[in-house]
Amino acid sequence: MTVLPLIFTSGWASGINAYAVVMLLGLLGRFAGADSVPPVLERTDVLIAAIVLFVCEAVADKIPYVDTVWDAVHTVIRPIAGAVVAALLASQHPGSLGEVAAGAIGGGTALASHLVKASLRMAVNTSPEPFSNIVISLLEDLAVAGLVTLAIFHPWVAASIAATLLTVGLLLVWFAFSRIRRFLANRRERRERRAARTPLASPVGS
C-alpha cells in the first residue's frame, strides 16, 4: 500500500509548511510525471497560489516572534491542508485506503508536526539573536522539500525518516517543557526564600 507512506510523509510535511507541500507535489506531478499526484494540484491556478503563499511563509517564518504568530494562525490551516492533500492522494489509489481514513491520518500527522514546530520555535525565540530562526527555518524548508520529493519515488524510506523526525521532535518538546517547568519552579523557590529572609517593616510610629 504505497499510498500510506506517501500520505504520512505529506501529512508530516504539511504540519511544517503546507504551502510547500502543495507546490512541490504540483510541480512534481506536472513536470516530473509523478502519477501519484492528484491532477487538481497540477493546475496552474493552484500552483500560483501555492507559490505565492509559500514565499509569504518563507519570509514570515524567518522573523523572530512573527514566526510564532504565523504558526498560531496556521494551527487550523496546516492540519486541514494535510487532511485534504491526504484525501486527494488516496483518491488516486481507489481501494487502497479510504479518503476519510487518509484524511484522518494526514490531518493528525500534520497537527502533531505543527505542534512540534510551533513549540520548538517558541523555545528558539527566547534567544536574543535572530540567526537561529533563519537557520532552523531553512533546515525545515530543506527537510520538507527533500522528504516530499523522496516520498514520490521511495515512499517507505521517506515515511521512515518523517516518523523519526516526528519522534525526535516530540522528545525535544517534552525535554524543553520539562526544563522550562524546572526553571520556573526553581525561580519561584528562590523568590520565596528571599521573601522569607526579608524582615517585615515596622509599623510607623512604633
Side-chain angles (χ1 to χ4, degrees):
M1 190 184 298
T2 56
V3 69
L4 181 57
L6 179 56
I7 285 171
F8 180 83
T9 304
S10 66
W12 174 85
S14 295
I16 306 298
N17 191 328
Y19 307 125
V21 173
V22 175
M23 179 185 71
L24 287 167
L25 287 176
L27 292 174
L28 288 168
R30 188 162 181 172
F31 299 108
D35 296 333
S36 55
V37 176
V40 66
L41 299 182
E42 301 175 23
R43 285 170 33 183
T44 301
D45 56 337
V46 173
L47 281 172
I48 291 175
I51 291 171
V52 170
L53 290 170
F54 167 74
V55 171
C56 293
E57 173 142 343
V59 174
D61 201 49
K62 294 172 179 60
I63 303 174
Y65 303 109
V66 173
D67 60 346
T68 297
V69 175
W70 186 269
D71 285 338
V73 172
H74 284 74
T75 300
V76 176
I77 297 174
R78 286 171 181 160
I80 291 176
V84 171
V85 169
L88 289 172
L89 290 170
S91 69
Q92 290 291 103
H93 302 76
S96 60
L97 183 65
E99 294 181 25
V100 174
I105 294 172
T109 307
L111 177 61
S113 62
H114 163 76
L115 292 176
V116 168
K117 170 189 169 74
S119 299
L120 293 179
R121 281 306 189 85
M122 289 176 64
V124 170
N125 279 334
T126 60
S127 64
E129 42 75 31
F131 303 107
S132 54
N133 295 71
I134 297 174
V135 171
I136 291 175
S137 179
L138 288 172
L139 290 175
E140 289 172 350
D141 292 341
L142 290 173
V144 168
L147 283 184
V148 169
T149 303
L150 183 63
I152 294 295
F153 304 102
H154 303 284
W156 284 108
V157 176
S160 299
I161 297 173
T164 301
L165 291 175
L166 181 59
T167 302
V168 171
L170 290 170
L171 291 173
L172 287 174
V173 169
W174 176 83
F175 178 75
F177 275 97
S178 64
R179 289 286 299 271
I180 291 171
R181 284 196 300 269
R182 286 199 299 270
F183 172 76
L184 293 176
N186 291 335
R187 188 172 66 175
R188 184 170 59 251
E189 184 179 348
R190 288 195 299 270
R191 188 165 55 243
E192 290 172 353
R193 285 201 300 266
R194 284 197 300 269
R197 290 197 299 266
T198 301
L200 296 176
S202 303
V204 177
S206 61

